[in-house]
Amino acid sequence: LRNLSLLSPEQVELAKMLLEMGQSHLFEHWPEPGVDDDKKRELFNQVARLNSSYPGGLASYIKTAKELLADSKAGKNPYDGFTPSVPSGESLTFGDDTFLQYEDAGVKEARKAAFVLVAGGLGERLGYNGIKVALPLETTTGTCFLQHYIDSILALQETSCRLAQGDGPTEIPLAIMTSDDTHSRTVELLESNAYFGMKPTQVKFLKQEKVACLDDNDARVALDPHNKYKIQTKPHGHGDVHSLLYSSGVLKEWQDAGRRWVVFFQDTNGLLFKAIPSALGVSATKGYHVNSLAVPRKAKEAIGGITKLTHQDGRTMVINVEYNQLDPLLRASGYPDGDVNSETGYSPFPGNINQLIFEIGPYLEELTKTGGAIKEFVNPKYKDSTKTAFKSSTRLECMMQDYPKTLPPSARVGFTVMDAWVAYAPVKNNPEDAAKVPKGNPYHSATSGEMAIYKANSLILRKAGVKVDDPVLQVFNGQEVEVWPRIVWKPKWGLTYSDVKGKVHGNCSVTQRSTMVIEAPNCHIVDLSLDGALIINAADGTEVEVSGPLQNRGWTIESVDYKDTSVPEEVRIRGFKINKIEQLVKP
Ligand code: UGB
């Protein structure tokens, strides 16, 4: 109490709140005034930050934590009373007429969208030392994820605004959620690359704060083991994006500017912009308030399953059930084998890829009620079966895809399933873990992420009429992958399938050992037969036509071992590097 005089009136109020919430241990060890006064004030500055960055403040955080910890101790299942069943949603086949219609509708709608990249996670499963958005999505051109995302948004912007002929918004904004772990490196990446061509004013940063760790079932806030004047904190999860969009006023600003959609996406999925236009078209056509993009999912694959949950009281919701909860939920509700593949070879529950499209109006209306707070969970690691002590401190967490959990049954919540080869190739697992993935399940590694780009582009060209050779199987970092020709193009060349189809003519072919890089937005490929490496430059928009038989020694792929530290980390995590031996550069 003698120390209270050190604090500002607001801090005194916070101290009272902490005492009421059973947190006296945070300052009962304090020495008399005059000793460590600055450190004491610093602790309260931190308390004030933790208080203001959480919807409802620290008192609400501690109260929820007590409830969730009690439920966890009692072994209460969050899905008690709910029965899972297979939901029905829109299922698209890349390239067919329905797909093309949706794609068309989506491109028109895109200028009314705003994009939100959640990039606050460090990617512990990947174990990469840098930020994930700086990783190359493929090493043929070395383009990093963030550049590819911005290139894609700018291509959408250009096409969508051209179609609108000056009617409505002319710029598509991008918000990036960062955290203390990723913020400065993300800003630096953008600043040192002139925002990859986007206007700096088009980009908004939303930095998420960590939340207080908890030491025990009474939700006693944990002090840092090395500094008794500092509260230990950990990430709260990607669900923070909702409260940040709301509290920053960004969402309101977007709505006031006439925007209609918010598109959320994750840090490392090099395919997703191939799926965004059609998914946006589904949202607009079906009037979905919430549309989650999903892919066929192998049973027990480490991505959440989209599930219909029906409560005993009649309530239903279509929601993502996290992979570690789906199997036990099914076993407890009449599916004795749990999550297993059906005769299709896939789990009947489509995989959530956490690419979400919300309609702004209903979204902002809901956030005005909730402040952006969404259902949280806690996952303490107990010391023993008495569940009285934790092995290490825990904290509350939240996930962005849990947003629909608070929506009324009248909300239009849907989902769109798309082939994984065209929608989902995240880079999440380190080489060792990826090599242990059961055969047939996706690796979700840097190796598979890059190979997926080549496969998708090869298959899209095939659909457009090009004879693309079959892939060969090769093993890199212990993972067997299909190696297709290394075909890469800029989004401004082939934003949609219709764009690609309109730029490929006559009898074209590409051999498996070939590399083709298309930087030129206005490039037409006519009767080309490629066996080697071809780079088509003209990024300035000059019309280029490429044709005829082209052959050279090309670019080869050479294995590298991920343990070989003489090779840069972003290369060795894929297990191969590209040797650029000979190429033809056009024009
Ligand atoms: N992220 C943040 O921005 N802040 C955070 O505090 C944490 C993460 P992970 P996760 O697509 O395969 C999700 O760690 O959470 C960002 C879905 O929950 O890569 O294990 C982070 O930067 C799951 O249902 O994924 O699993 C990254 O961009 C499934 O769909 C994103 O959030 C799975 O993704 C995801 O973080 C998947």
Side-chain angles (χ1 to χ4, degrees), residues 33-192:
V35 183
D36 290 346
D37 288 353
D38 285 347
K39 291 182 182 166
K40 293 170 190 165
R41 288 193 197 94
E42 197 36 56
L43 177 94
F44 267 86
N45 289 339
Q46 188 193 11
V47 169
R49 282 198 302 277
L50 290 169
N51 189 57
S52 64
S53 60
Y54 185 83
L58 257 181
S60 162
Y61 179 76
I62 295 165
K63 183 169 165 283
T64 309
K66 283 183 183 165
E67 288 163 11
L68 289 174
L69 284 164
D71 286 352
S72 168
K73 185 171 182 226
K76 195 169 158 199
N77 181 338
Y79 295 110
D80 258 359
F82 284 102
T83 309
S85 59
V86 179
S88 63
E90 193 64 30
S91 186
L92 300 186
T93 304
F94 184 87
D96 73 5
D97 286 348
T98 315
F99 178 89
L100 286 174
Q101 277 164 17
Y102 280 132
E103 198 174 59
D104 225 34
V107 170
K108 288 199 185 104
E109 207 62 27
R111 76 205 157 86
K112 292 187 234 152
F115 284 80
V116 180
L117 167 62
V118 289
L122 259 188
E124 281 162 3
R125 279 196 269 158
L126 182 66
Y128 172 61
N129 275 315
I131 49 168
K132 288 173 78 182
V133 290
L135 274 173
L137 77 158
E138 36 78 15
T139 48
T140 294
T141 66
T143 306
C144 71
F145 281 100
L146 190 53
Q147 168 163 15
H148 173 72
Y149 293 151
I150 290 182
D151 282 350
S152 304
I153 294 170
L154 291 177
L156 263 176
Q157 173 179 299
E158 194 179 301
T159 313
S160 189
C161 293
R162 182 166 21 88
L163 294 173
Q165 297 179 330
D167 174 29
T170 53
E171 274 179 9
I172 300 180
L174 167 66
I176 305 178
M177 181 168 79
T178 56
S179 67
D180 278 326
D181 295 330
T182 62
H183 186 79
S184 55
R185 285 179 286 177
T186 309
V187 174
E188 207 177 281
L189 177 65
L190 281 168
E191 285 181 346
S192 56

Side-chain angles (χ1 to χ4, degrees), residues 5 32 67 73 129-130 206 214 235 269 274 278 292 302 312 331 335 356 376 394 405 410 421 430 450 458 479 524:
S5 60
E32 70 230 40
E67 288 163 11
K73 185 171 182 226
N129 275 315
L206 305 168
L214 307 160
N269 179 7
K274 297 189 191 297
S278 52
S292 334
Q312 284 153 351
R331 284 175 199 275
Y335 297 80
L356 309 166
E376 294 162 298
T394 187
K405 282 189 174 169
S410 57
W421 67 263
N430 62 58
E450 174 157 357
S458 296
Q479 304 153 56
H524 285 262

Side-chain angles (χ1 to χ4, degrees), residues 118 120-121 125 208 237-238 266-267 303 322 352 401 424 428:
V118 289
R125 279 196 269 158
Q208 61 177 146
H238 36 72
Q266 306 195 78
D267 50 17
I303 63 176
E322 255 337 71
N352 164 51
Q401 68 271 33
Y424 191 55
K428 298 210 182 207

Side-chain angles (χ1 to χ4, degrees), residues 199-248:
K199 288 187 193 155
T201 48
Q202 251 175 297
V203 183
K204 290 234 163 28
F205 294 99
L206 305 168
K207 186 158 85 67
Q208 61 177 146
E209 295 295 333
K210 292 184 178 170
V211 287
C213 292
L214 307 160
D215 264 337
D216 57 27
N217 284 327
D218 294 326
R220 278 156 57 98
V221 169
L223 283 170
D224 188 322
H226 308 292
N227 180 354
K228 60 184 180 173
Y229 294 105
K230 193 171 170 210
I231 291 170
Q232 201 186 4
T233 58
K234 284 189 183 164
H236 188 221
H238 36 72
D240 279 346
V241 73
H242 304 299
S243 63
L244 284 172
L245 280 172
Y246 181 70
S247 63
S248 62

